[in-house]
Amino acid sequence: MQHRNRRWALRLTVWLWLIIALVPYSAFAEGDTPVVYDRYSLQVSTESEVENDLMTVVLVVEDEDRDSAALADRINQNMLWALLQTEKFPDIKTQTKRYSTSPKYEQNRIVGWRSSQELVLESVEFESVKKAVAILQEKLTVRAMQFTPQSVTRQEAENALLDDALAAFRARASLIQKSMQASSYRVIQVMIDAGRQGPPVYARNEVMAMSAKSSMGAVAAPATDAGTSRIRIAVSGEIQLQ
């Protein structure tokens, strides 16, 4: 009798476990995400041209020598000279970057060393930068020059474009609502993307031409045209008609 009771208790336990295991499955089956209708995805964008009001010039002092110590001394002295020259232009932000030294090989043997260091000039006063570059090219070479909008200029332009893009998004959503004869709509999600086009950069041959003049003595200030940059704001999202 006691053995039979144990068997019934075991069967009851098994049935209880089966019921517990099936309940979540049934709940999940009944609680599947319902099919959603009347949702529409849309995207709009606005863009504009913004004045490039920030000038950046990268110059480099470079040299080579069999004696690495003598080479380092010349590089350091020339960069110190360059920094002293830039002190004459307080409206120019300066920064030294990328000091590198590498060996020169001949027949798998080190026969000398090559070193370089960059100096970056940045300012909204273009004429000051151009005058500084003309002076610095006595001992340094122009490696790159570019014009971009300042951060504050870009931010102001993006804010204005964002207002226009959001207004265009609402207008497009209202058009869909009216075309589909819905009473209203609600926004499910909105994503904003600020696309930025790369800044204009001097062509290599123009930079090299300016650099070549530096070996001929006095250098005229470079001719420049800052131009503009294109800024684009895209707004995409999803709406549901009511």
Side-chain angles (χ1 to χ4, degrees), residues 117-219:
Q117 186 178 16
E118 291 181 347
L119 175 63
V120 180
L121 309 183
E122 186 178 85
S123 179
V124 297
E125 300 296 335
F126 293 178
E127 291 303 316
S128 292
V129 176
K130 289 159 64 174
K131 290 177 182 178
V133 168
I135 294 173
L136 293 174
Q137 281 185 281
E138 180 182 335
K139 296 185 178 182
L140 280 71
T141 302
V142 175
R143 174 162 287 178
M145 182 183 296
Q146 68 178 19
F147 298 88
T148 58
Q150 295 183 80
S151 296
V152 62
T153 303
R154 183 182 295 277
Q155 190 64 54
E156 290 175 355
E158 287 180 351
N159 289 342
L161 286 175
L162 181 57
D163 284 341
D164 294 341
L166 290 173
F169 183 90
R170 291 192 298 270
R172 185 71 58 85
S174 296
L175 178 61
I176 294 174
Q177 171 206 331
K178 293 177 182 178
S179 297
M180 301 306 294
Q181 299 181 347
S183 59
S184 62
Y185 71 88
R186 68 187 184 98
V187 177
I188 304 300
Q189 66 174 352
V190 171
M191 292 172 288
I192 299 171
D193 175 45
R196 302 181 179 185
Q197 182 172 320
V201 181
Y202 265 127
R204 178 175 173 80
N205 59 349
E206 187 171 353
V207 174
M208 295 303 292
M210 290 190 296
S211 301
K213 292 180 182 179
S214 63
S215 62
M216 301 169 59
V219 182

Side-chain angles (χ1 to χ4, degrees), residues 20-236:
I20 292 172
L22 288 172
V23 166
Y25 176 80
S26 301
F28 176 80
E30 294 175 0
D32 281 346
T33 303
V35 179
V36 178
Y37 297 97
D38 297 328
R39 284 194 177 184
Y40 295 84
S41 297
L42 56 153
Q43 178 175 341
V44 297
S45 64
T46 56
E47 59 183 40
S48 69
E49 298 284 341
V50 180
E51 293 294 330
N52 291 322
D53 54 0
L54 181 65
M55 182 177 183
T56 304
V57 181
V58 180
L59 300 103
V60 60
V61 53
E62 51 190 352
D63 203 346
E64 55 185 56
D65 199 304
R66 291 181 176 273
D67 186 338
S68 60
L71 174 61
D73 184 64
R74 285 204 305 275
I75 293 291
N76 295 341
Q77 290 295 330
N78 286 338
M79 183 56 70
L80 177 60
W81 171 85
L83 292 173
L84 290 175
Q85 302 308 310
T86 60
E87 290 181 358
K88 303 173 185 177
F89 304 91
D91 50 0
I92 297 178
K93 176 183 175 181
T94 61
Q95 181 182 10
T96 55
K97 300 180 69 176
R98 294 185 60 182
Y99 195 128
S100 65
T101 301
S102 58
K104 291 180 58 181
Y105 290 94
E106 285 184 9
Q107 298 180 349
N108 296 324
R109 293 175 55 251
I110 296 178
V111 295
W113 300 88
R114 182 182 294 108
S115 290
S116 66
Q117 186 178 16
E118 291 181 347
L119 175 63
V120 180
L121 309 183
E122 186 178 85
S123 179
V124 297
E125 300 296 335
F126 293 178
E127 291 303 316
S128 292
V129 176
K130 289 159 64 174
K131 290 177 182 178
V133 168
I135 294 173
L136 293 174
Q137 281 185 281
E138 180 182 335
K139 296 185 178 182
L140 280 71
T141 302
V142 175
R143 174 162 287 178
M145 182 183 296
Q146 68 178 19
F147 298 88
T148 58
Q150 295 183 80
S151 296
V152 62
T153 303
R154 183 182 295 277
Q155 190 64 54
E156 290 175 355
E158 287 180 351
N159 289 342
L161 286 175
L162 181 57
D163 284 341
D164 294 341
L166 290 173
F169 183 90
R170 291 192 298 270
R172 185 71 58 85
S174 296
L175 178 61
I176 294 174
Q177 171 206 331
K178 293 177 182 178
S179 297
M180 301 306 294
Q181 299 181 347
S183 59
S184 62
Y185 71 88
R186 68 187 184 98
V187 177
I188 304 300
Q189 66 174 352
V190 171
M191 292 172 288
I192 299 171
D193 175 45
R196 302 181 179 185
Q197 182 172 320
V201 181
Y202 265 127
R204 178 175 173 80
N205 59 349
E206 187 171 353
V207 174
M208 295 303 292
M210 290 190 296
S211 301
K213 292 180 182 179
S214 63
S215 62
M216 301 169 59
V219 182
T224 60
D225 182 3
T228 60
S229 290
R230 182 175 296 276
I231 297 180
R232 178 176 179 271
I233 295 288
V235 175
S236 59

